[in-house]
Amino acid sequence: MRLLVLALGGEGYLNFMGNEFGHPEWIDFPTPANDWSYQHCRRRWDLADADHLRYQYLQNFDELMHACENRYGFLRSEHQYVTLKDEGDKVIAFERGEFLFIFNFHPTQSFEGYQIGMGMDEPMRLVLDTDEGRFGGHKRLDHAKAFPVLGGAHQRPHSVKLYLPARTAQVLAKESLLQG
């Protein structure tokens, strides 16, 4: 969800450690109902340092997600195109700059050879994968190979075929962007 908000949400991104992923304590800002107490008005920034919690994976993902944006600047691109939003498969795919973002939100269904239309006429490479081990994932994707360009799909002139594990996201970049 963080990647979707970053990539489609506009030119800015705001993130908090906690509430949206099960903060271990409630957040209660001072109000008349709690006598303006600050007792529970805090964020737990130490959660990512606790080895027995999964917040470390969220921190690792956030760091790489922002590093990817800092290096390639896809948020500055004016090119945005939503290629696919399939309610049944629960798949969303869109282009932002010279990148292809693919999300499989299905809770149980993975897809082999899923064809995604795109405007890029160049082999694509995986640059971000939410299923990586450093993010707490199962490491099901091959980062070594480039995805060849195929014929058009989804009203786009070109396409790629991908393996989409359930509950994962992938970001592909034009191969030429990664050289040098």
Side-chain angles (χ1 to χ4, degrees), residues 12-26:
Y13 177 74
L14 180 61
N15 180 33
F16 294 101
M17 173 72 82
N19 288 13
E20 69 275 33
F21 292 103
H23 201 281
E25 299 173 346
W26 71 90

Side-chain angles (χ1 to χ4, degrees), residues 48-63:
D49 299 327
D51 291 336
H52 65 287
L53 299 175
R54 293 181 174 258
Y55 288 96
Q56 62 189 303
Y57 301 129
L58 291 172
Q59 181 175 341
N60 292 344
F61 180 75
D62 272 359
E63 286 175 4

Side-chain angles (χ1 to χ4, degrees), residues 69-119:
E69 158 52 24
N70 289 339
R71 179 174 180 184
Y72 301 111
F74 52 80
L75 288 182
R76 293 186 297 272
S77 174
E78 293 183 18
H79 174 70
Q80 298 178 48
Y81 187 88
V82 177
T83 303
L84 175 69
K85 30 185 209 267
D86 189 310
E87 296 267 343
D89 290 346
K90 300 186 183 334
V91 172
I92 297 172
F94 60 90
E95 299 169 22
R96 180 87 190 239
E98 299 182 274
F99 293 81
L100 182 61
F101 293 78
I102 307 99
F103 297 80
N104 180 5
F105 287 109
H106 203 287
T108 59
Q109 182 68 50
S110 297
F111 301 101
E112 182 71 46
Y114 203 95
Q115 190 166 9
I116 306 285
M118 63 180 190

Side-chain angles (χ1 to χ4, degrees), residues 111-129:
F111 301 101
E112 182 71 46
Y114 203 95
Q115 190 166 9
I116 306 285
M118 63 180 190
M120 286 75 78
D121 185 16
E122 185 177 318
M124 304 294 283
R125 282 198 147 335
L126 192 59
V127 294
L128 184 58
D129 160 22

Side-chain angles (χ1 to χ4, degrees), residues 3 8 17 27 29 40 47 62 72 79 84 87 92 96 102 119 137 155 162 168 175-176:
L3 181 61
L8 271 184
M17 173 72 82
I27 302 294
F29 293 102
H40 295 288
L47 295 175
D62 272 359
Y72 301 111
H79 174 70
L84 175 69
E87 296 267 343
I92 297 172
R96 180 87 190 239
I102 307 99
Q155 290 79 49
L162 306 168
T168 63
E175 192 169 42
S176 62

